[in-house]
Amino acid sequence: MRVNLIVFSLATLILCNTSCKDATKLTKDVKTEKTLFPSKEISLDNETKIDALIAEMTLEEKAGMLHGSSKFATEGVERLGIPKMNMTDGPLGIREEISKDSWAPAGWDNDFATYYPAAGSVAATWNPELSYKFGNSVGQEARARDKDVLLSPAINIIRTPLGGRTYEYFTEDPFLNKKLAVPFIVGIQDNDVMACVKHFAVNNQETNRDFVDVNTDERTLREIYLPAFKASVQEANAYSVMGAYNKFRGDFLCENDYMQNKILRDEWGFKGIVISDWSAVHSTVKTLVNGLDIEMGTRKPANEFFLADKLIAAVKDGEISEEEIDKHIRRILRVLFQVKAIDGTDRTEGSLATEEHYKDAYDIAEESIVLLKNEKNLLPLQLEGINSIAVIGNNATKKNALGGYGAGVKTKREVTPLDGLKNRLPENIKINYAEGYLERYSKNDNDQKIEVTLNTPTTITELDPEKLKEALEAAKKSDLAIIFAGSNRDYETEASDRKDLSLPFGQEELIQKVLAVNPNTIVVMIGGAPFDLNTIKEKSSSLIWSWFNGSEGGNALADVILGKVNPSGKLPWTMPKRIEDSPAHATNSFPGDESVTYEEGIMVGYRWFDTKNIEPLYPFGFGLSYTDFMFSNISTNKESYSEDEDIQIHFTIKNIGDRDGKEVAQVYVSHPGSSIEKAAKELKGFKKVFIKSGATQNAIISIPVKELAYYQVSTKKWVVEKGTYILKIGNSSRNILGEVSIKIN
Ligand code: BGC
């Protein structure tokens, strides 16, 4: 094996500390996802009972189980002890109870839940254990609200930074995506709740999402858009999957034989159920025969769903057999048994909005915050000599648990950034708060926004002169200023893609003016997707990225600002300098019209930027810390491998700063001699490690050789090419600190 480059000259002097003797820790690393986060397969033990139940059911009763009878439930068959299937959104926590037949809140007073950080935040932790913790915690809340299905996680690939649901999805990278999706699902399902992995598949834009016909080449589909779904099925044993709104190669996803039958069931062995997205079904016989099991959300009375009266008529007319119907009922009964909704004597009871769950939300938020710039070391704040802090920006007080179009959470606790600072700062420090900018939309667009628009609401970018004046006065009279800017969940929202990367509401002007009167200004961005931060990056010495970060978001942010927490978040996507640099835009293939072809192929996210040598504003995997780490002693356990082996990359990380901290070691693989087109690098392993100040830790990242395979379209097989591969280890896709070559024989 050849160690090409070790960035730091001290490298060879570093010795192993106690952790490298910790054999259990090391062996854990080489285990597969299935053993790290053990999942339960759908049991086939109840087949006799299922036969008996099906034999007793009328056709009408069967149809009742195949479609929604209210916004979030299907019918059961009470006389046979089959319950309704109760569902709930979603990614931010358990949605407030919705009325039976409309989207209006049901007005309950016992449905307050924990607001968890958005998926982008979980992804930025790069910590699969936190993803499990999230799933497990929210799964308990689902049970406490008597739900059988949690419509989560949402794992579509972030193809464009403008995607309205970017904050709801994890990442642009298929490997990170699956490593987070699997534990999340296992966590949910450990509580006798079905995860519903959505939106299957290639649902990567909101513009025209109800009908856009997506086309990708086969290799791109397999290598970029499907791996996390496949792992959800094969490693996490997800009990349900949600069919997406859009079309793929001419057929709606919910009636797409290739995706639902051929790939999901025949190839991957999926035994669970496919539930449609809300109003995503367009046919009766075709949808069932092509693999969908439950139709949800149609904006019509329940009997008018495609799988209600029309289905009964289709059976009577001989267009579809009752055996076909029974096949779907059997699947539904299996998963109901699986989560103990039938015959469940010891089903998890769950708990809602407990201090433990708020702590889970805090733990995720705390590890998700990304330090983008700290040039003058203003951060963490040193409070000696500070008497006053200006806190500026609508985002200092803006709440995001509810908002926008799409699922939110009704919660009793959402600590805003201003609250967080008040909670954490000593009382003698005066906070001078000024709203700075107003969240304002132009009238017409705002009206549309309340309907469903496929264009982001147009914002009013002029600052309000009074608000600006207040902000500048606050900044001038304070020892330092913190601006909370960015977007919010009204601006970034389901059902719209953003028009561009610009910061809304005139914030860029505000930030520049505040910086001019008080150079000791820290800029904190709150959002779920990339924005144009070119000027802010240039002008501001200190820049933090935070997210729609849950019930405890403000406390976590204050703890990072004040140094109680050393930031360890890493961007799960590339922040481009210009939207034209991003692959879908550079290839002029977003948003399409009736159809869209993903012209960039496999070159999504950093794969494009790195292969084309385009400098991003901030690269994938990037995030600073209040300490520094040194990587060294990078080696592999062998020089050459066969296809069934695992490559073990050994390396040492030393914390060379004066604070304890966490670092994410990232392994990217290059195959320069490949006979086919490959991205310059692909993430194939990562590990988050906690290291005390001054300590050194040896670590291992294990990569199954099979992970190096590409999808060979002609043979429909995953193929590992023989030859020399370079494993690059670093702490972002652009900061490679060492590399090793290996051979595959
Ligand atoms: C969304 C899904 C969501 C469903 C139910 C749809 O508009 O695409 O993600 O689960 O609504 O709220």
Side-chain angles (χ1 to χ4, degrees), residues 202-350:
V202 286
N203 177 190
N204 311 96
Q205 65 184 56
E206 295 303 286
T207 310
N208 300 341
R209 69 172 184 182
D210 290 329
F211 57 83
V212 68
D213 184 9
V214 176
N215 291 294
T216 68
D217 64 85
E218 191 64 19
R219 184 174 166 215
T220 299
L221 177 71
R222 302 294 184 143
E223 292 187 19
I224 305 292
Y225 295 97
L226 293 187
F229 285 104
K230 185 178 180 188
S232 301
V233 169
Q234 296 192 329
E235 291 169 27
N237 279 307
Y239 301 151
S240 74
V241 162
M242 184 186 287
Y245 282 121
N246 47 296
K247 291 180 186 161
F248 179 64
R249 295 186 189 152
D251 273 326
F252 282 109
L253 263 307
C254 289
E255 50 185 48
N256 198 304
D257 177 58
Y258 184 57
M259 298 292 270
Q260 300 190 132
N261 284 334
K262 303 277 185 314
I263 294 184
L264 189 61
R265 293 193 188 272
D266 299 350
E267 278 187 38
W268 298 350
F270 179 61
K271 294 197 192 66
I273 54 171
V274 181
I275 300 171
S276 76
D277 202 340
W278 268 230
S279 295
V281 170
H282 299 266
S283 59
T284 299
V285 173
K286 185 174 179 187
T287 199
L288 269 189
V289 170
N290 287 353
L292 187 100
D293 299 297
I294 295 180
E295 176 193 9
M296 291 301 293
T298 301
R299 292 182 197 94
K300 285 183 177 164
N303 67 310
E304 291 181 32
F305 277 47
F306 285 100
L307 298 187
D309 291 355
K310 291 189 191 81
L311 178 63
I312 296 167
V315 176
K316 291 187 174 152
D317 293 347
E319 289 168 33
I320 185 167
S321 69
E322 201 155 341
E323 289 76 60
E324 174 68 32
I325 311 284
D326 292 350
K327 191 166 91 185
H328 300 275
I329 298 293
R330 179 176 300 281
R331 291 175 188 160
I332 295 171
L333 288 171
R334 277 186 193 143
V335 289
L336 285 172
F337 272 106
Q338 186 68 27
V339 297
K340 303 177 185 160
I342 308 180
D343 270 8
T345 46
D346 57 346
R347 195 173 189 195
T348 303
E349 277 180 14

Side-chain angles (χ1 to χ4, degrees), residues 501-521:
L501 290 174
S502 60
L503 275 176
F505 317 123
Q507 296 177 69
E508 193 164 311
E509 182 189 341
L510 172 74
I511 294 170
Q512 294 197 52
K513 290 195 162 143
V514 170
L515 277 163
V517 298
N518 193 336
N520 282 342
T521 293

Side-chain angles (χ1 to χ4, degrees), residues 156-163 166 169 171-172 204-205 214-216 224-225 582-585 587-592 596-601 603-605:
N156 295 96
I157 286 285
I158 295 168
R159 175 176 180 246
T160 159
L162 301 184
T166 300
Y169 298 145
T171 174
E172 67 188 22
N204 311 96
Q205 65 184 56
V214 176
N215 291 294
T216 68
I224 305 292
Y225 295 97
S582 279
H585 302 266
T587 55
N588 200 17
S589 57
F590 170 83
V596 58
T597 300
Y598 293 3
E599 301 287 358
E600 71 285 5
M603 298 295 174
V604 174

Side-chain angles (χ1 to χ4, degrees), residues 160-169 204-209 404-406 441 445 448-458 489-499 590-591:
T160 159
L162 301 184
R165 301 185 86 168
T166 300
Y167 79 89
E168 269 192 79
Y169 298 145
N204 311 96
Q205 65 184 56
E206 295 303 286
T207 310
N208 300 341
R209 69 172 184 182
Y405 176 90
Y441 302 93
D445 285 44
Q448 273 181 36
K449 180 172 77 90
I450 290 158
E451 295 292 303
V452 180
T453 168
L454 291 173
N455 283 304
T456 316
T458 303
R489 285 197 51 246
D490 290 314
Y491 187 67
E492 281 181 58
T493 171
E494 181 183 333
S496 315
D497 293 315
R498 285 182 296 149
K499 287 192 192 75
F590 170 83

